[in-house]
Amino acid sequence: MGAEAKYSVCSICDIGCQVRTEVKDGQVSRVIAHDNPMLANNICFKGVAAPSIHNHPDRLRKPLKRVGERGEDKWEEISYEQAMDEIAERLKKVVNQYGPESFAVSTSGWNTQVTYGTDRRFMNLLGSPNWTSGVALCAGNTAAVNKLTYGWFPMGDFGNTNCIVLFGHNPKKHSWTPIYNQIEAARARGAKVIVLDPRVSEQAEVADLHLRLRAGTDAAMCLGWLKVIFDEELYDKEFVRDWCVGFDELKARVDEYPLERVEEITGVDRNLIAESARMYANADGAIIPWTPITDMQISSTSAIRLHSILRAVTGNLDVVGGETLGGFNQSYIPETEISLHEELSAEQKAKQLGYDDHPVYTYRVAEMLKEPTEKVWGFPYADIVMGCHMANPSNLFRAMATEDPYPVKAFFVLGNNALMSYPNQHQILKAMMNQELIVAHEIFMTPTAMLADYVMPGDVFSERNHVADSWSWTTRLSLSQKSVEPGEDISSTYQFWKDLAKRFDFGNRFPWESIEDVIDHRLSRSGRTFADFEKTGFMEMQTPEFRKYRKTGFATPSGKVELSSSILKDLGFDPVPYYREGPALTEEFPYAVFSGVREDPFFQTGQRNIPELRRRCPLPSIFIHPQDAEKEGLVDGDWVELQTAYGQVTAELAVKDNMKEGHLRVPHGWWYPELRGQAELGGAFLSSDAVLCSDDDEFLDHEQGIPHFKGYPGRVVKVEKPELLNGEL
C-alpha cells in the first residue's frame, strides 16, 4: 500500500465495500480496488466516482439558516456554533411545549456511518421514541421479523452453499457488488441458483430455474414450497421435532395452499413450483439471502417469516452452507449498547408511533424479546441492522401532518432524503410544512434539506476513521481510515449529536471527545484501541461456531424456532404465516406497478448530480412489455405518465422483452438537482415513485405497516416530454 493510499469502507451505497483511497494535494484523487485479492473485485463505478462526490463544487461546506419561507430555498451562512446554539434552543422550546415525543429523527446509517448509536442515545436520554429510518422498508424490518422466528437475523454462508434462492433480488456487478461476486463464485463451483422474479433479470437469465411469479405473491409461493416439502417429507424431521414449535399449526395452514391454488395466485406452473422446492430442500446447504423485494409487500411479515421457516425446517439454520446466526461480536461493543435503550421509560416507549397498530419493529416487540435475547446473546436489546426499535414512518408522518395522536413538531433528518424515501410523498410534504423546527445534516442540498430551517454540512467516508461492524448483521470488523481532513464547519453525525447533548443536561453521558475515542471504547472489550486495530490489518472475523442453539436455545419466548409465533399471537395477529392479496387491478388501472428497483449508477435518491454517473442514466425510464406497449399505442422512447389513484410520475418509456406482461416498473428516487430554482424542490414531484403508492390501511402489511410497493394498480398514458427536462444536464 502506497504512502498516500488508505483503507476505506465506502458508504456511497449500503453494501460497504472495502476499497482504498488515494490523496493528492490534500484532496481525494482516486478510489481504487482493495489490495487483497479476495476483496479486489468489490468495487463499482459509484465507488470509483467518490472523488467527484467528495470534492463536488456544490457540496455543502457552511451551516445554512433559512431566511425565506419554508421550501423557498433561501439561506444565509452562519457559524457552526451559532447554528448548534439556535438548534438546541429551538428544540428545547418544542420539547417543553409538546413533550419529548414531539421530537422525531429520520436517518440512514448506510450514509452517516459513524453515528455509533448516539442519535438513539440522545433521544432515549431526552425521552423520545420516534426514531425511524429507511431500513423500516429495507433490511431493518427483515431483521425484526426474523427475530420472531428464531431470535436473530442470519447471513447466508455464500462460500459453502450449494443452492441460492433469490426472491426478486438482482445483484449485479455495479449493484450489491460483493453479493454478485459471491453468487458468481458459488455458481462457478456448481451451486444451483433459483430466481423468483416477474422480470427476466440479469440473475434470472443465468439461473438454473426462473419462476416468473406475479409481483407481490412471494408469500403464496413460499406456502407452495412448504406444501411440497411437507407432503414429500423433505424437511429435517429431527430438527423440527427437537427444536421447533407450532409445526401442526403451520402444516394446517400450508395444507390450505395446494399447488393448483398457488399456481393460480402466482401464475407459475405447479410443476415448476414443485421442482424448485425440491431443488432447494434437497441441496446440501442452501440459502435465501435477504431481499429488498419481500420487504415491501402487503404480506411482508408473513413472507419474511416464511423465508425464515424454510431455512429452519430444511435444516439450513446455523450450519455450514446454510444461514449463520452470528450474534454480537464479542470484541466490539455494539451500537445497541451505546444507544441506551434501557434509559427510555416504558411510558415513553409506549408512545412510539406504530407501537399500537403496527408493532413488529417497534419497542413493543423489543420489550417482549428482552429476556430471551439477553439469555442467548448476552444483552437485552439487539438492534440488528438498526431496524428493531423503530417508529413506523407512515404513522410518524401522519402525526407530523395531523397532530394525531399527538403533535410532532421537531424533525431532524441526517443522511436521508426523507421527503422521497417513504410512501405517500404528498403526506410527507404536508408533515414537514407543519413543523416548527427541521434540521438537515447532509452533504448536498436535497429536496428534504430545502425544507429545513438549518442545514448542517456533513462529512464523508474519506474524512473520518471508522471500524465497520455491519450493525451486528455479521461479526466482521472492517477498517476505514481518514484520508483527508473535512472542512472547518463540516461535522460528522457523531460530532453533531455530541455537541447537541452538550447543550442539554446530559452532555456528561457523551464522554468521548472524538470518533477515535468512541472506537477505542467499542474496542475496549478486547483491550484494544483504534490505533492497535489499524496496525493489525484491514479486517477480522470471529471464528464461526455452528449450531449454537444446542447450548443456548433460540432467543424466542419458547427457546425454540417458532413456526407459530407466540409474540404475534400475544399481539392479536395470526401467529401462522398467510397470503393476503394486494389491491385489485381495475379497468381504470389495469397494470401491476412494481416500484423501488434501483438503477446501477445511483443509491436511493443520491448521485443524480454526479456527471459521470448521471451520464450512464440521464433520465428515468418506465419499463413495459412489448405487447402491453402495442396495446397502449406506445413505442420505445415515448414520454409517458404513470398514474395511480394517488399520484403520477413522468418518465421516458423503455419497451423491454424481459418485462412480465401486465406489469410496469418504475425506478426509485428520481429528482433533478439541475432544476433547483426552476421546479418545486428540485423536481421532487416530477418522477419520484414515492408519490404513487398510498399508505392507507388497505395497502399496508398488518403487522409492520409496510406499504405494498410490489404490484399496486396503475396505468400509463402518453404525454409530451416536460419542457423543464429539455435543457442540458
Side-chain angles (χ1 to χ4, degrees), residues 424-715:
N424 198 344
Q425 187 168 317
H426 295 289
Q427 176 173 266
I428 299 172
L429 178 61
K430 182 180 177 183
M432 294 183 72
M433 295 301 291
N434 194 37
Q435 295 302 288
E436 294 183 10
L437 174 63
I438 299 177
V439 177
H441 191 280
E442 262 294 354
I443 62 172
F444 293 110
M445 186 62 78
T446 65
T448 301
M450 293 177 200
L451 292 164
D453 297 288
Y454 298 88
V455 181
M456 305 298 290
D459 65 353
V460 291
F461 72 77
S462 61
E463 298 168 351
R464 59 203 178 207
N465 289 315
H466 180 46
V467 174
D469 70 341
S470 304
W471 294 277
S472 298
W473 194 357
T474 72
T475 60
R476 185 180 69 240
L477 300 179
S478 304
L479 173 66
S480 194
Q481 296 168 301
K482 180 191 287 189
S483 298
V484 296
E485 293 293 332
E488 182 180 356
D489 291 307
I490 291 173
S491 64
S492 68
T493 48
Y494 171 71
Q495 193 67 45
F496 174 83
W497 289 111
K498 176 179 174 57
D499 289 344
L500 191 62
K502 284 181 181 178
R503 290 162 169 82
F504 280 74
D505 296 330
F506 36 83
N508 63 330
R509 304 297 299 273
F510 287 70
W512 313 287
E513 286 302 316
S514 67
I515 285 175
E516 290 76 18
D517 290 342
V518 185
I519 302 173
D520 289 350
H521 168 69
R522 298 187 70 184
L523 286 167
S524 65
R525 189 156 284 167
S526 55
R528 295 177 294 173
T529 66
F530 177 74
D532 296 329
F533 187 86
E534 66 177 340
K535 288 176 184 176
T536 59
F538 51 82
M539 181 174 65
E540 68 179 38
M541 298 181 69
Q542 290 183 174
T543 302
E545 180 184 356
F546 299 102
R547 294 188 171 93
K548 294 179 289 297
Y549 55 84
R550 290 177 174 175
K551 298 178 182 177
T552 64
F554 291 94
T556 61
S558 65
K560 296 188 176 185
V561 174
E562 298 203 352
L563 308 179
S564 176
S565 171
S566 62
I567 287 179
L568 290 177
K569 182 178 181 179
D570 289 346
L571 292 170
F573 296 109
D574 193 330
V576 182
Y578 56 88
Y579 170 72
R580 177 179 164 212
E581 186 67 26
L585 306 182
T586 65
E587 184 175 345
E588 183 180 11
F589 297 107
Y591 292 99
V593 180
F594 187 99
S595 76
V597 178
R598 69 174 73 178
E599 295 140 319
D600 289 356
F602 312 123
F603 176 60
Q604 313 298 31
T605 69
Q607 292 88 54
R608 268 73 177 188
N609 61 335
I610 308 304
E612 59 263 50
L613 296 177
R614 184 69 178 276
R615 283 194 294 268
R616 294 179 179 273
C617 187
L619 294 165
S621 294
I622 290 168
F623 294 83
I624 192 171
H625 189 274
Q627 291 185 15
D628 292 326
E630 183 179 4
K631 182 171 62 179
E632 299 294 337
L634 299 169
V635 298
D636 190 75
D638 279 346
W639 275 79
V640 296
E641 191 171 80
L642 195 163
Q643 302 171 346
T644 71
Y646 304 92
Q648 57 278 326
V649 299
T650 301
E652 194 172 22
L653 192 70
V655 180
K656 297 289 185 182
D657 290 327
N658 63 4
M659 281 293 294
K660 185 175 176 66
E661 292 178 51
H663 287 62
L664 300 171
R665 185 200 126 187
V666 57
H668 172 59
W670 265 92
W671 65 290
Y672 302 90
E674 68 274 14
L675 295 185
R676 184 181 175 190
Q678 301 177 57
E680 180 187 11
L681 300 174
F685 287 85
L686 282 177
S687 305
S688 171
D689 58 327
V691 306
L692 294 171
C693 184
S694 169
D695 58 358
D696 292 341
D697 284 346
E698 67 169 316
F699 279 81
L700 296 182
D701 170 271
H702 293 313
E703 298 87 349
Q704 297 176 66
I706 292 292
H708 189 63
F709 285 125
K710 312 304 179 188
Y712 53 91
R715 66 187 176 205

Side-chain angles (χ1 to χ4, degrees), residues 267-519:
V268 177
D269 181 85
R270 68 192 72 176
N271 294 316
L272 183 56
I273 296 171
E275 181 184 2
S276 59
R278 294 183 191 115
M279 180 179 287
Y280 170 72
N282 287 324
D284 182 14
I287 61 175
I288 306 174
W290 163 78
T291 166
I293 307 305
T294 310
D295 285 350
M296 305 177 189
Q297 301 182 17
I298 203 165
S299 301
S300 176
T301 299
S302 285
I304 294 169
R305 284 248 303 135
L306 285 161
H307 287 180
S308 64
I309 287 168
L310 281 163
R311 295 173 181 129
V313 301
T314 56
N316 283 304
L317 193 60
D318 213 23
V319 297
V320 175
E323 314 270 356
T324 59
L325 300 171
F328 293 120
N329 186 308
Q330 296 305 302
S331 64
Y332 199 53
I333 294 173
E335 290 191 9
T336 301
E337 293 189 36
I338 297 174
S339 295
L340 297 181
H341 295 293
E342 64 276 12
E343 293 280 348
L344 189 63
S345 70
E347 178 186 5
Q348 289 305 108
K349 284 173 179 166
K351 293 179 182 178
Q352 189 173 55
L353 293 161
Y355 185 99
D356 293 322
D357 49 355
H358 304 299
V360 161
Y361 56 66
T362 70
Y363 272 121
R364 189 174 175 191
V365 167
E367 294 299 299
M368 297 170 78
L369 282 170
K370 277 175 61 176
E371 184 177 339
T373 301
E374 184 167 25
K375 177 184 176 183
V376 174
W377 303 117
F379 192 74
Y381 296 95
D383 192 8
I384 312 168
V385 201
M386 307 164 282
C388 304
H389 309 81
M390 295 180 287
N392 179 276
S394 292
N395 290 61
L396 171 61
F397 291 117
R398 194 171 296 119
M400 288 168 60
T402 66
E403 304 182 18
D404 181 26
Y406 53 76
V408 176
K409 288 294 188 177
F411 183 55
F412 286 15
V413 55
L414 298 94
N416 172 232
N417 190 3
L419 176 67
M420 304 175 64
S421 297
Y422 302 96
N424 198 344
Q425 187 168 317
H426 295 289
Q427 176 173 266
I428 299 172
L429 178 61
K430 182 180 177 183
M432 294 183 72
M433 295 301 291
N434 194 37
Q435 295 302 288
E436 294 183 10
L437 174 63
I438 299 177
V439 177
H441 191 280
E442 262 294 354
I443 62 172
F444 293 110
M445 186 62 78
T446 65
T448 301
M450 293 177 200
L451 292 164
D453 297 288
Y454 298 88
V455 181
M456 305 298 290
D459 65 353
V460 291
F461 72 77
S462 61
E463 298 168 351
R464 59 203 178 207
N465 289 315
H466 180 46
V467 174
D469 70 341
S470 304
W471 294 277
S472 298
W473 194 357
T474 72
T475 60
R476 185 180 69 240
L477 300 179
S478 304
L479 173 66
S480 194
Q481 296 168 301
K482 180 191 287 189
S483 298
V484 296
E485 293 293 332
E488 182 180 356
D489 291 307
I490 291 173
S491 64
S492 68
T493 48
Y494 171 71
Q495 193 67 45
F496 174 83
W497 289 111
K498 176 179 174 57
D499 289 344
L500 191 62
K502 284 181 181 178
R503 290 162 169 82
F504 280 74
D505 296 330
F506 36 83
N508 63 330
R509 304 297 299 273
F510 287 70
W512 313 287
E513 286 302 316
S514 67
I515 285 175
E516 290 76 18
D517 290 342
V518 185
I519 302 173

Side-chain angles (χ1 to χ4, degrees), residues 116-130:
Y116 296 130
T118 51
D119 49 356
R120 303 303 301 269
R121 189 182 187 93
F122 179 92
M123 297 179 75
N124 289 334
L125 291 168
L126 184 70
S128 172
N130 288 322

